[in-house]
Structure formats: C-alpha cells, structure tokens
Amino acid sequence: MDVPAKRPADAPAAAAGKPRSTKAVAYISWVALALMTTSSVASLRPAPTMAVYGLASIFLYVIPAVVFLLPTALVSAELASGWEGGVFKWVSEGISKPAGFFAVWCQFAMTIFYYPSLLGFVASTLAYVINPDLASSGVWTAIVIMVCYWTGVWVSSRGTSGVAGLASGGLIIGTLIPGVLLVILGVAFLGQGNESAAPMTASNLLPAWAGLSSLVLIVNNFLSYSGMEMNAVHVGSLKNPGREFPRAMFLAMGLVLLIFILPALAISWVVPAEQLSLTAGVMQAFDAVFAAFGSQWLTPILGIMLVAASLGGMLTWLAGPSKGLLLISRQEGYLPPFLQRLNKHGVQQNILVTQGLVTTLIALAYAFIPDVSSAYWIFSVITTQVYLIMYLLMFVAAVRLRRKHPDHPRGYRAPMLTGLCGVGFAASLAALLIGFVPPSQFGSGSVGLYLAVVAGGALGLGLLVPYLFLRLRKPSWRTEPSASEEAVA
C-alpha cells in the first residue's frame, strides 16, 4: 500500500443494522475491480526491503498474500456488503462501540508513523537528484520530512480539491513506468553477462533460517498488503458478487505479486544485499544499471518521477483518515473539543497540526538514529503493528456478526468465514509479535532500546492513547453533527 487508503466516497454509513439499499447501481466488471484493487495496493517502495532476501523474496511475498491479503479481502467484502459505514460500524456492531473507536483510531494513528517512513523514502530518492551522499544523511532526511509534511498540511487545510486525481496518475508515473523499466534494465543487465549480486539457484528459494530475526523484514509486507478493506465496498457493484469477487481478488493478488516481486528481484540482481538501503534501494538499482549502460543522466529523472508520485499520493490522502476519525468522534464524543474544531474551510486543521507536531518529533529521530535504514524500518514496523490491531478487531467482529446475525442481508458471503478469520487473525498476530524482534540485517545494536521504541510507538499509540481518550471522555465532548456531516458520516 503506497498511501493509506481513504474511506470511499460511495460508502456512506447507514443506520445500525440496515442492509444496503436496493437502488440501481452501475455495475463494474470483476476485471475492473481487480485493476482498481491492484492500483490501490501496488507500490515500488517496499521493494528494497525484500530485495535483501534475493530469490527468497518470492516466498516471503506469497505467504503473507495467502494468509493475510486473501482473508482480508474476502472477509471485508462480506462486512462491506452487509453493514455500511466501514470498520467503525463493523467492529461496533460485532464487538462494541469502544472497540469500534479503537479500530478507527488505529486506521488514523498508523499514518502518524507512516508519513515519516513514506517521506523518508522521498528524501532518499530526492538525494539522487541532488547529491546521492545525502541519502544516508539523517539531517537531510529530517529536513525533507518536515518541509514536505507541513507543506501538505497547509495545502490540505485550505480544502484544496485539485489534488484529487494525483493518486491515479502517481500509479502510472511512480509505479508502473519505473517498475517495468527497472525489470527490463535488470534483465538486460544480466543478459550482458553481468553476474547477479544475489544467487539465483533453487537452493535460494527459501530464506536462510537463523531464527526469527532473519525473517523480521517480512512484517513490511503486511503493511504493503493493507487497505483491502477499503476496496471491499465495491463488492455491491458486481453483478454476481459470490462468483466474481473471488475472481477479482485472485487476479488482483496475482498482479500485485508481480508488481512487488519482479522489481525486488531486479534490485537484488544489481545491488548487493549488504550495500542495500531500505529507503534508497530503488534509486541504487537505477543508478547501477544506468551506469552499466552509460546513461546515468537518467537517474535524476526517475528520481523526480518517484518523488512526484509519492508526494501526490501524500497530498491526496493526507486528510482522509483523520476526517473519518473526526466525524465519528463528533457524534460519539471520543475526542476533546479542541481536536474536533474545524477551520473556515471545514477541514480538521487542529488534528492535522497536532499530528504534524508528532510527525516533526519523529522526523528529528532520523537525525539522531545513526542509520537511516534502521530508522525507516523502526517507523515502518510501528506503522504495521498499529494497523494490525485494527485487523485483529475486524476478524473478531466478522465472526461475531456471522454468529449474532446469520440472517442479516449480505450481498456477499465469504466461504469458510470462521476459518478465513482464524487464518487472518493468526497471521496478523504473528506479524505484530515478530515486529518486536530486531532484524538480523541491522547487525548489533541495543535490543532493549529497539524494544522500547517499537513497543512505545505501537502499543502506546495504538492502545494507550485511545484508552485515555475513552477514560477521560466527557458528555460535553459530543457534538451534534451538521446536516452535511450526517450526509457523509
């Protein structure tokens, strides 16, 4: 997932328990849904993380796709086709309203660490346009994160709608074109007789086992595959959801795997694992292959394309998760009035600014953590763990809703729902726990400090903060929604 998914505009929340309306809908083909899903999930950003495994990256991409991506897609499709209103409505109906708040809070809170990691990638990529040596500079990375984020807040707080089409354009400019080019150049690089930097023999199909620490980077794939619950809202637009939705998801899964795996392999062919940067790995690979073909002048151009796509995606989605949290909090009184305040453009500026202050502190950590790749990984794993808390709640809610309301109208019924939820829950929990293990790729370091930072970020932000909001909640925090809010809440 290149950017956090936003609640689709065509998914207004209905009254509790109401099935979807039977009004005429514009049907889409299952192939179109597969392509929509692929565009919202696929990205080049995680490629360097898996490239360190070489050929074994195929295995490490396929396993999370089977045990997490597929269960998430099928389970959320049933929920979306029976209960409008997204994750908050599903978890509230299946478990409780406080649990629903925890779920929607995690959807928002993951962005607090997601944007520093996304903009860390932007900083390292931009360095190859200016000076490649800057890619390893924590100070440079911190400055880029702060400038880009606060610029995004300023644009979003003005209610600008002109950036709405940037994400779709970004898929072509920043993912498809660079991805295809990287793979073609990688193949040509090998075709010239150059030796692959990573061994490509059958014995390397499985990752070398040296304990859990050797597989920790797989956690990043769960973040890459997240957001499927947002696409599930389109299940009602299929003529035959029971047959077509699984087809769409299997096709999307195949396309996503190709987009993830092939660029990761291409990077592993040209950049040795011990030299690979988790933030600048894509640019390292382009720089290496362009150098081999005497075309290094193209490296900055590819860098600009990747940066433009990432910044466009950030601007497009910056206000989305916080808006969903705001609407629910105003109705239920989950946030204090200060955070519920809107500016003259109707934008939740106080939430964005508060989020920005935390993001600034996180950005400064890049300047003090010696290795930029280590900082990037820490923030990525915290992002993933916070988001996985939401998925744990979603899987539990799905099982409870099937048992509590077996006859509730659903446009799609997931096969073997309890089994799917069990697999998805176990995979999510395992990924969450594995994230607390320091990766072996980062060598020696303070295990205690790593655990303190990751646990403090993931559990503190994902559980403690929303718990305090619920604990300190006052009746006066509840705000009667306006007519416009009722129309979209």
Side-chain angles (χ1 to χ4, degrees):
M1 183 183 80
D2 194 35
V3 290
K6 184 174 85 172
R7 176 176 154 186
D10 58 345
K18 279 190 178 181
R20 289 188 175 279
S21 62
T22 56
K23 63 181 181 181
V25 296
Y27 290 115
I28 61 174
S29 70
W30 64 272
V31 175
L33 179 57
L35 295 176
M36 290 168 56
T37 302
T38 302
S39 68
S40 67
V41 174
S43 167
L44 290 182
R45 197 168 67 90
T49 307
M50 287 296 104
V52 300
Y53 291 107
L55 196 59
S57 62
I58 299 175
F59 173 82
L60 296 175
Y61 268 123
V62 170
I63 294 303
V66 173
V67 301
F68 176 75
L69 176 63
L70 193 58
T72 298
L74 299 181
V75 170
S76 59
E78 172 166 328
L79 295 172
S81 69
W83 289 268
E84 296 177 342
V87 169
F88 175 75
K89 178 66 69 175
W90 306 340
V91 178
S92 295
E93 293 287 321
I95 304 176
S96 66
K97 280 193 173 183
F101 172 66
F102 270 95
V104 77
W105 168 266
C106 287
Q107 276 192 318
F108 158 74
M110 59 82 71
T111 65
I112 294 176
F113 283 93
Y114 176 81
Y115 287 122
S117 62
L118 170 66
L119 295 176
F121 168 79
V122 168
S124 294
T125 304
L126 191 60
Y128 275 80
V129 179
I130 302 171
N131 179 2
D133 292 337
L134 291 173
S136 59
S137 170
V139 174
W140 161 260
T141 303
I143 292 172
V144 171
I145 291 174
M146 289 188 286
V147 171
C148 291
Y149 183 83
W150 284 108
T151 301
V153 169
W154 179 77
V155 172
S156 296
S157 66
R158 297 176 65 83
T160 303
S161 59
V163 297
L166 290 175
S168 57
L171 172 70
I172 298 174
I173 295 173
T175 299
L176 296 183
I177 294 176
V180 171
L181 182 60
L182 182 59
V183 174
I184 292 175
L185 290 174
V187 172
F189 177 82
L190 296 180
Q192 282 193 332
N194 295 295
E195 186 178 351
S196 171
M200 291 287 126
T201 61
S203 60
N204 299 108
L205 280 170
L206 295 179
W209 177 253
L212 283 178
S213 62
S214 62
L215 296 180
V216 171
L217 295 186
I218 194 177
V219 173
N220 193 59
N221 291 346
F222 284 77
L223 178 62
S224 302
Y225 290 142
S226 61
M228 293 296 292
E229 75 282 358
M230 302 300 178
N231 294 288
V233 70
H234 300 295
V235 68
S237 298
L238 297 172
K239 286 186 177 181
N240 188 341
R243 183 177 61 185
E244 294 181 339
F245 189 80
R247 286 182 181 178
M249 290 305 101
F250 278 112
L251 176 58
M253 190 166 72
L255 294 174
V256 167
L257 285 172
L258 286 176
I259 294 174
F260 278 145
I261 291 172
L262 294 181
L265 288 177
I267 293 173
S268 73
W269 296 335
V270 298
V271 183
E274 61 273 11
Q275 299 176 15
L276 192 62
S277 165
L278 298 191
T279 54
V282 175
M283 294 308 297
Q284 284 179 311
F286 274 121
D287 199 45
V289 292
F290 284 144
F293 293 106
S295 305
Q296 270 186 297
W297 60 272
L298 287 171
T299 301
I301 296 176
L302 267 296
I304 292 172
M305 291 170 64
L306 292 169
V307 167
S310 296
L311 292 180
M314 187 199 76
L315 286 174
T316 304
W317 300 102
L318 183 61
S322 58
K323 184 175 183 180
L325 175 67
L326 173 79
L327 294 176
I328 292 165
S329 297
R330 286 171 70 88
Q331 294 169 17
E332 304 294 337
Y334 289 134
L335 294 179
F338 172 79
L339 293 177
Q340 296 184 28
R341 208 164 295 153
L342 305 175
N343 65 9
K344 63 180 181 180
H345 299 288
V347 176
Q348 59 282 12
Q349 181 171 299
N350 286 5
I351 291 182
L352 292 176
V353 170
T354 302
Q355 180 181 1
L357 294 175
V358 179
T359 299
T360 299
L361 293 176
I362 296 171
L364 292 174
Y366 272 97
F368 296 102
I369 297 178
D371 184 4
V372 171
S373 285
S374 296
Y376 173 84
W377 169 252
I378 289 172
F379 299 141
S380 293
V381 76
I382 292 173
T383 301
T384 306
Q385 288 176 313
V386 171
Y387 212 178
L388 287 174
I389 294 173
M390 183 277 292
Y391 283 110
L392 293 174
L393 293 170
M394 186 189 80
F395 287 125
V396 172
V399 173
R400 289 175 60 88
L401 284 171
R402 178 70 76 90
R403 292 175 179 174
K404 289 167 57 178
H405 306 290
D407 299 322
H408 182 89
R410 295 165 170 83
Y412 171 79
R413 297 181 74 90
M416 301 180 293
L417 179 84
T418 302
L420 285 173
C421 290
V423 171
F425 185 93
S428 301
L429 182 60
L432 192 154
L433 295 177
I434 290 174
F436 289 109
V437 179
S440 61
Q441 286 81 0
F442 296 149
S444 59
S446 173
V447 175
L449 179 60
Y450 178 89
L451 287 174
V453 173
V454 172
L459 302 182
L461 185 64
L463 296 177
L464 180 60
V465 173
Y467 170 77
L468 290 176
F469 279 132
L470 289 175
R471 185 78 174 175
L472 301 174
R473 181 183 177 194
K474 299 178 181 178
S476 60
W477 289 8
R478 183 167 182 171
T479 303
E480 290 299 323
S482 64
S484 60
E485 289 176 335
E486 287 181 331
V488 298

